[in-house]
């Protein structure tokens, strides 16, 4: 049987590092990339006799994310200890939330082929991150030594758990992309997947179509890009189908994704919640959240991706596709808004953002937030095009130079001598020459082959190194060919 005979069930658990300045239970900094074990204190090192103090900002951010995901906010919640052997968390328990998480019963809408689809959000809870282990060899058991860096220990995390509502790897990807956008818009996390500040685990199972009874699921860890998530899920679906078709049972276990080999590998058999022996954290009082507190945070919510998309369509008459791409990243949407305030043709801005600018940024591994061309610089260049100073073709060259050097359009045009030729007396000799050199095309055009005109225009543009005003070239050619 093929994949079409099965229904796929996917749920995601996403960990987002919060953008607070201090850790969740102490005042150590959360900044990334420092020397090992320099951002530590007795609290996050778990030394005896210390007491945690909850960072209020963490709660603010959790409520904010919860509201943006249409969750209920618990008026009463508490912290719990999740007991486990954590070599990178020296207390040997993780302070997390268990039966009373701060947010629950939310949802997030994703775009699928058939239109909109709602994915349920079961819960969002706050917890502390663990440190980072570096093994001397391949694994913790085969290495001669392992090193541990506690800088990340105690950095606040939100764990966002979805319902098993997704039915394909593409839907899982769409969910993660939308979730990332919402966390960026609300500015609770910087969502840098490559730095591990947004991490994703997936639960996945298969069942025969129409059965309604979920199969045994596996959990996949260690996927740190959208592409890895899609690849890992596709691999795991095929693996589970093969297991079932051989008449065997899928084993409930945790698997890890090996991005290089493109396979998932068994890591450990799945622990149940009771294996962790959760119990209420005695060092922290229960968390009581007033309606006033929630109201204040609600008032601080920014315009979210969905609303912004609608606004771009309504105010700028952008096509749905453009509005969706631009609002998928807050930085890109901000860039668009800034540029549109300076230049009136929104669709032209959108074309540059989705085309040349995205291409150049991707090639350099940059994002819209560290773009060397500011919205004002792009607007200036577009105005030069409108004024006829540069042609569309020259603009591409100018734009690349601006991107490379950070220079303004007018300066690039001046330095490189790229001003468009709009003087008829300069263009006319070029037209004459090309007509003389291409008698066949002239004949073809006169015989009714319109395409011959395009060829002749192209030749003239080439001779002028792209600087001739294309409208003028067109007009002159047509006149001479009459
Ligand atoms: Zn600390």
């Amino acid at each position: 049987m093929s994949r079409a005979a099965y229904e796929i069930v996917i749920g995601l658990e996403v960990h987002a590092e919060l953008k607070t300045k201090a850790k969740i239970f102490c005042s150590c900094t959360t900044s990334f990339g420092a020397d090992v074990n320099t951002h530590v204190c007795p609290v996050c090192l778990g030394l005896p006799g210390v007491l945690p103090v909850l960072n209020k900002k963490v709660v603010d951010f959790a409520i904010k994310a919860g509201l943006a995901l249409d969750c209920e906010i618990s008026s009463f919640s508490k912290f719990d200890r999740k007991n486990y052997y954590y070599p990178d968390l020296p207390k040997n328990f993780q302070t997390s939330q268990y039966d009373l998480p701060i947010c629950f019963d939310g949802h997030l809408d994703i775009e699928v082929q058939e239109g909109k689809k709602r994915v349920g959000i079961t819960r969002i809870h706050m917890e502390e991150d663990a440190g980072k282990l570096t093994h001397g060899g391949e694994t913790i058991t085969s290495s001669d030594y392992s090193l541990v860096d506690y800088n990340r220990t105690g950095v606040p995390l939100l764990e966002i758990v979805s319902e098993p509502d997704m039915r394909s790897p593409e839907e899982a990807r769409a969910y993660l992309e939308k979730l990332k956008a919402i966390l960026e818009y609300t500015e609770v996390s910087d969502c840098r997947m490559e730095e591990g500040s947004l991490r994703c685990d997936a639960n996945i199972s298969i069942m025969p179509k129409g059965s309604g009874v979920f199969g045994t699921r596996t959990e996949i860890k260690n996927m740190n890009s959208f592409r890895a998530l899609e690849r890992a899920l596709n691999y795991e679906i095929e693996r589970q189908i093969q297991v079932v078709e051989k008449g065997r049972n899928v084993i409930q276990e945790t698997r890890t994704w090996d991005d290089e080999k493109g396979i998932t590998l068994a890591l450990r058999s799945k622990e149940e919640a009771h294996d962790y022996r959760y119990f209420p954290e005695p060092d922290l009082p229960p968390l009581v959240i007033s309606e006033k507190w929630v109201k204040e945070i609600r008032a601080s919510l920014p315009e979210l991706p969905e609303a912004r998309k609608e606004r771009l369509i309504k105010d700028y008459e952008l096509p749905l596709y453009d509005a969706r791409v631009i609002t998928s990243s807050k930085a890109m949407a901000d860039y668009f808004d800034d540029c549109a305030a300076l230049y009136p043709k929104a669709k032209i801005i959108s074309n540059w953002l989705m085309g040349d600018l995205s291409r150049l940024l991707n090639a350099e591994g940059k994002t819209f937030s560290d773009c060397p061309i500011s919205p004002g610089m792009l607007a200036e260049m577009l105005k030069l095009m409108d004024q006829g100073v540069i042609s569309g073709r020259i603009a591409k060259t100018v734009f690349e130079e601006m991107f490379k050097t950070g220079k303004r359009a007018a300066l690039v045009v001046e330095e490189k001598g790229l001003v468009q030729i709009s003087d008829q007396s300069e263009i006319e000799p070029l037209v004459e020459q090309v007509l003389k050199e291409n008698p066949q095309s002239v004949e073809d055009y006169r015989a009714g082959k319109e395409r011959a005109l395009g060829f002749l225009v192209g030749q003239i543009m080439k001779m002028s190194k792209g600087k001739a005003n294309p409208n003028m070239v067109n007009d002159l050619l047509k006149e001479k060919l009459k």
Side-chain angles (χ1 to χ4, degrees), residues 249-370:
N249 293 321
V250 173
I251 301 162
Q252 186 174 343
E253 64 188 355
T254 302
R255 302 180 69 85
T256 181
W257 168 245
D258 185 326
D259 202 50
E260 231 163 78
K261 295 199 183 96
I263 56 172
T264 65
L265 294 161
L267 199 63
R268 56 178 185 260
S269 65
K270 178 70 185 169
E271 315 83 355
E272 295 296 335
H274 61 253
D275 291 337
Y276 284 122
R277 289 177 299 116
Y278 279 97
F279 66 85
E281 165 64 68
D283 289 343
L284 287 161
L287 185 58
V288 178
I289 296 168
S290 66
E291 272 180 43
K292 183 169 162 275
W293 192 351
V294 175
K295 218 171 134 190
E296 274 169 21
I297 303 279
R298 196 185 289 281
S300 77
L301 275 181
E303 182 185 39
L304 294 170
E306 206 54 30
R308 197 156 188 179
K309 189 181 81 191
E310 298 302 328
R311 177 169 64 77
L312 293 194
I313 293 169
K314 192 168 155 279
D315 291 2
Y316 295 107
E317 290 168 358
L318 279 190
L320 171 67
Y321 177 82
D322 296 42
R324 196 186 289 161
V325 172
I326 287 172
T327 55
S328 65
S329 129
K330 180 174 185 288
M332 191 175 186
D334 286 346
Y335 192 103
F336 174 85
D337 269 332
D338 289 348
C339 200
L342 301 166
Y343 181 78
K345 298 175 190 167
K347 178 63 183 140
I348 291 182
I349 300 173
S350 152
N351 289 347
W352 280 92
L353 297 201
M354 297 194 305
D356 289 71
L357 189 48
S358 288
R359 179 177 54 81
L360 292 171
L361 288 171
N362 285 341
E364 299 250 313
K366 285 187 170 147
T367 67
F368 275 87
S369 42
D370 47 24

Side-chain angles (χ1 to χ4, degrees), residues 4 47 61 65 72 109 119 136 138 158 188-189 196 215-216 296 301 314 329 335 353 359 364 370 377 395 449 451 476:
L47 300 186
F61 280 6
E72 303 287 328
D109 293 333
V119 177
E138 285 272 299
L158 286 188
V188 302
S189 173
T216 305
E296 274 169 21
L301 275 181
K314 192 168 155 279
S329 129
Y335 192 103
L353 297 201
R359 179 177 54 81
E364 299 250 313
D370 47 24
M377 287 163 69
K449 286 187 189 160
R451 277 178 54 198
L476 266 174

Side-chain angles (χ1 to χ4, degrees), residues 23 26-28 39-41 43-44:
K23 292 185 179 180
C26 65
S27 58
C28 289
H39 295 171
V40 292
C41 74
V43 175
C44 53

